[in-house]
Amino acid sequence: MRGDLVRKLAARCLSTGLAVLAFVVLALTGATGWGLALAVAAVIASAAEQRIRPGADLVAETTLIAAAVLVGYSRRLDDGLDLALVATALVLLGLVLLVGPLRTAATLEIRAANLPVRAWTPLFADRLGSALLALLTALALAAALALPAWVALAGSLLVGAGTGVVALDLARRRFRPSAGGGAVGRALRGHQPEFLLYFSAPPGSEYQVTMWLPYLRRIGRPFLVVLREPEFLAPIAAATDAPVVYCPTLRAMDEALVPSLRAAFYVNHGAKNSHCIRFTQLTHIQLHHGDSDKAPSANPVSGIFDRIFVAGQAAIDRYARAGVQIPTDKFVVVGRPQVESIEVRPEPARGLANPTVLYTPTWTGHHADADYCSLPVAEELLRRLLARGATVILRAHPYTAQNPASARQLGRLTELLVLDRARTGRQHVVGAAARELSLTECVNSSDALVSDVSGVISDYLYSGKPYAVTDMGDAGDRFVERFPLAGSGYVLRRDMSNVDAALTDLLDTDPLAEARWATRRRYLGDFPAESYAEAFLTAARRELKATEDPAAERSPQLSPLPDLGCRPRQEVADA
């Protein structure tokens, strides 16, 4: 986070500084050529800032650059007062003042992918800032070449005309909406989706959705994905052929939630979930994006859903253990369909020679009670694994980079494994190579797991292979009581004082081999391996059938937003 802040501040200082310098040089000195070069440099810096800070307000910078370029143009022509340049200045002023508000207005428009609609206006509005910067670059070059002033005016009028068209269309959408709804709503009514997947989360969380998309498709009914953050539209649309709709406002949601919908699925406890739960005619079903003993996995907010699909009885017990009272008829045990492709190894892992160990450190969490990250103490662990001849797959949580200290620690571990690979030839998997592998591929490629408290352990449990769990809270004897899944694993203390004994159990003697199978049934359900995912598909189809009402073509019924007492940050159970 600190590195990202420094990057943004540097981009801001560079773009503003160059814009001021270009104006000063052109307005107060005779170095016209240098001034125009500085203006072009300021444009490039502003474009870079736009990429680093997508919502950056560049009004001051573009005003200074435009003024500098016009001064330089006037000097190059040396014709006194040129009416074409005056008109160009007025057009540029209008563009500078309009670009920001139009981009803001465009962000409030519904957008869609995988639908036969093309909403060009929001896309054009989003690129107006880039168009203005390109125009300023062209004007600076025209000034340097001393082209006639009408060339500058023609270019400015062309961009201005496009901006005017965008402004008029956005105004029409806002103040005179179509009586039959927008194009996205009409296309969705034609698609007739029966359920939706609703998603709101911090950047980098799209894995929470993509893990469920194949199974939602296998339900065999038309559906759509509703997003509340624009950065997810492209990656999630690329992962499915179902319609994906970005709804920036509640009014946009009213358009997207068409009458054919009967159920809504959720994959986390994001605060904006309440915006969809207000549609009371839908059955609201929480799926989660992992099963773990972490504190967020027993979030009391789960009680607002009509159904809570859980992997096994252990998840239900977890809520009770945390003192969260939820009626038992809300819970449906469906297993964890994502594990169906994991290869099962029924025999105990004893006397493993040159084992492959999967290490999956989690992130620090949003709050102290959800910080189970072992990265600060992991170097000693990896050195002991290497001493035993192990090949390591290092697969860190996607949120690791959000914490600069964790990112540095991960970098040191990566360097350690890369150096060992060069020295010994053991094919450790780290960095981009590890991220390219799915969790299932990592599980199938390994003989044992070392993990923090996270949903990875539940998935690994399906394989029957041994695992170790880090006790980062120094809970001691209370650790297994708080995190029962660790009872069938080998616990590593925070100070790594028992690392040798734990690794011997993990890779050599495996005394808990039998206990893992009982834990596996409790955490992942007792379903046949050949049809494991059918438990989820059957439960989902049953919920859709229960809400089916073909005689009623009803409009969305809204209830007041409930006061959920949600924290301002996203509360999500970690996978």
Side-chain angles (χ1 to χ4, degrees):
M1 290 182 182
R2 188 180 306 163
D4 191 46
L5 179 61
V6 169
R7 217 160 44 94
K8 290 179 178 179
L9 285 173
R12 184 66 168 166
C13 291
L14 184 62
S15 62
T16 303
L18 285 172
V20 170
L21 186 60
F23 179 75
V24 168
V25 169
L26 282 163
L28 302 181
T29 75
T32 305
W34 282 106
L36 290 172
L38 285 171
V40 173
V43 168
I44 295 171
S46 297
E49 183 183 2
Q50 225 172 37
R51 292 180 65 86
I52 296 171
R53 300 175 60 234
D57 181 1
L58 299 177
V59 172
E61 288 84 349
T62 50
T63 301
L64 285 170
I65 296 169
V69 169
L70 289 171
V71 170
Y73 216 134
S74 178
R75 281 194 182 158
R76 284 288 193 188
L77 296 179
D78 197 23
D79 286 337
L81 181 65
D82 192 311
L83 294 180
L85 277 184
V86 173
T88 301
L90 294 175
V91 174
L92 286 178
L93 177 62
L95 289 173
V96 167
L97 295 178
L98 278 175
V99 163
L102 289 179
R103 287 182 63 195
T104 301
T107 62
L108 302 179
E109 292 293 321
I110 190 170
R111 300 188 194 182
N114 302 339
L115 272 177
V117 295
R118 293 291 181 268
W120 298 113
T121 300
L123 293 176
F124 284 149
D126 196 43
R127 289 164 173 73
L128 285 178
S130 300
L132 176 58
L133 293 177
L135 173 63
L136 291 175
T137 303
L139 293 184
L141 294 175
L145 297 172
L147 297 179
W150 65 262
V151 173
L153 179 59
S156 301
L157 288 175
L158 183 63
V159 176
T163 303
V165 171
V166 169
L168 289 173
D169 193 50
L170 286 174
R172 179 192 61 78
R173 289 166 178 261
R174 180 62 52 85
F175 300 112
R176 298 186 62 184
S178 173
V184 172
R186 291 193 296 273
L188 287 174
R189 285 195 292 275
H191 181 64
Q192 290 285 295
E194 296 185 22
F195 66 91
L196 65 94
L197 177 65
Y198 180 90
F199 183 61
S200 173
S205 306
E206 55 268 23
Y207 70 94
Q208 298 176 10
V209 171
T210 55
M211 70 168 61
W212 280 107
L213 289 174
Y215 301 97
L216 296 179
R217 184 176 184 181
R218 283 166 61 178
I219 293 173
R221 308 286 182 85
F223 73 98
L224 78 146
V225 180
V226 173
L227 308 174
R228 301 307 308 282
E229 286 78 28
E231 60 266 25
F232 296 122
L233 183 59
I236 292 178
T240 181
D241 56 4
V244 181
V245 180
Y246 162 57
C247 295
T249 64
L250 295 183
R251 190 177 75 171
M253 286 192 62
D254 293 345
E255 179 177 347
L257 270 68
V258 293
S260 60
L261 290 165
R262 300 201 294 271
F265 292 96
Y266 305 78
V267 295
N268 61 32
H269 289 113
K272 290 182 182 178
N273 286 353
S274 61
H275 296 175
C276 189
I277 288 174
R278 69 196 178 102
F279 290 85
T280 57
Q281 83 278 16
L282 302 178
T283 297
H284 300 278
I285 303 167
Q286 176 61 256
L287 298 176
H288 297 109
H289 59 273
D291 180 88
S292 78
D293 287 330
K294 284 188 172 185
S297 294
N299 195 322
V301 175
S302 295
I304 65 177
F305 298 99
D306 300 306
R307 293 285 185 272
I308 307 168
F309 281 13
V310 293
Q313 180 63 38
I316 302 174
D317 297 340
R318 188 181 300 129
Y319 282 95
R321 191 169 61 250
V324 179
Q325 297 182 359
I326 296 176
T328 56
D329 61 355
K330 285 195 172 191
F331 291 102
V332 183
V333 175
V334 299
R336 173 94 172 125
Q338 288 81 2
V339 305
E340 66 173 348
S341 298
I342 289 178
E343 299 168 1
V344 178
R345 184 184 295 175
E347 67 276 3
R350 291 176 179 146
L352 293 175
N354 301 318
T356 297
V357 178
L358 172 61
Y359 173 47
T360 58
T362 190
W363 68 305
T364 54
H366 287 309
H367 308 284
D369 66 349
D371 184 359
Y372 309 104
C373 180
S374 64
L375 284 171
V377 300
E379 187 168 344
E380 177 64 17
L381 166 66
L382 290 195
R383 291 189 183 280
R384 297 300 178 96
L385 284 171
L386 296 178
R388 289 174 176 261
T391 298
V392 178
I393 302 173
L394 174 55
R395 190 176 192 271
H397 190 279
Y399 288 178
T400 299
Q402 292 186 8
N403 185 309
S406 294
R408 289 192 297 271
Q409 291 153 1
L410 180 60
R412 286 195 292 270
L413 299 182
T414 300
E415 183 180 2
L416 173 65
L417 293 176
V418 169
L419 290 174
D420 185 80
R421 182 169 59 194
R423 183 175 60 85
T424 66
R426 287 193 292 251
Q427 294 303 302
H428 306 299
V429 183
V430 297
R435 289 191 296 272
E436 289 171 1
L437 295 175
S438 68
L439 178 59
T440 295
E441 290 171 325
C442 291
V443 172
N444 291 341
S445 300
S446 65
D447 299 302
L449 168 74
V450 177
S451 181
D452 305 336
V453 175
S454 79
V456 173
I457 301 176
S458 296
D459 287 0
Y460 203 88
L461 181 64
Y462 188 79
S463 72
K465 294 182 284 193
Y467 56 88
V469 190
T470 60
D471 174 12
M472 292 306 294
D474 278 332
D477 295 338
R478 294 179 292 108
F479 183 68
V480 172
E481 179 182 334
R482 292 177 58 195
F483 307 105
L485 189 53
S488 298
Y490 307 106
V491 178
L492 283 160
R493 300 190 190 113
R494 180 186 176 91
D495 61 5
M496 292 292 153
S497 59
N498 70 331
V499 63
D500 287 324
L503 291 182
T504 296
D505 288 341
L506 179 72
L507 303 174
D508 191 15
T509 58
D510 195 15
L512 296 174
E514 294 302 320
R516 279 198 301 277
W517 294 104
T519 303
R520 181 180 184 265
R521 287 190 294 272
R522 196 160 65 86
Y523 272 79
L524 296 172
D526 191 11
F527 305 111
E530 62 273 11
S531 58
Y532 186 82
E534 284 300 319
F536 165 73
L537 300 175
T538 300
R541 291 167 185 150
R542 184 170 57 243
E543 294 299 334
L544 290 174
K545 186 174 179 61
T547 55
E548 193 170 4
D549 185 8
E553 187 76 7
R554 52 190 177 177
S555 299
Q557 303 167 6
L558 307 183
S559 62
L561 293 177
D563 181 8
L564 304 177
C566 293
R567 293 173 179 174
R569 298 294 298 270
Q570 295 283 352
E571 287 287 356
V572 293
D574 189 9

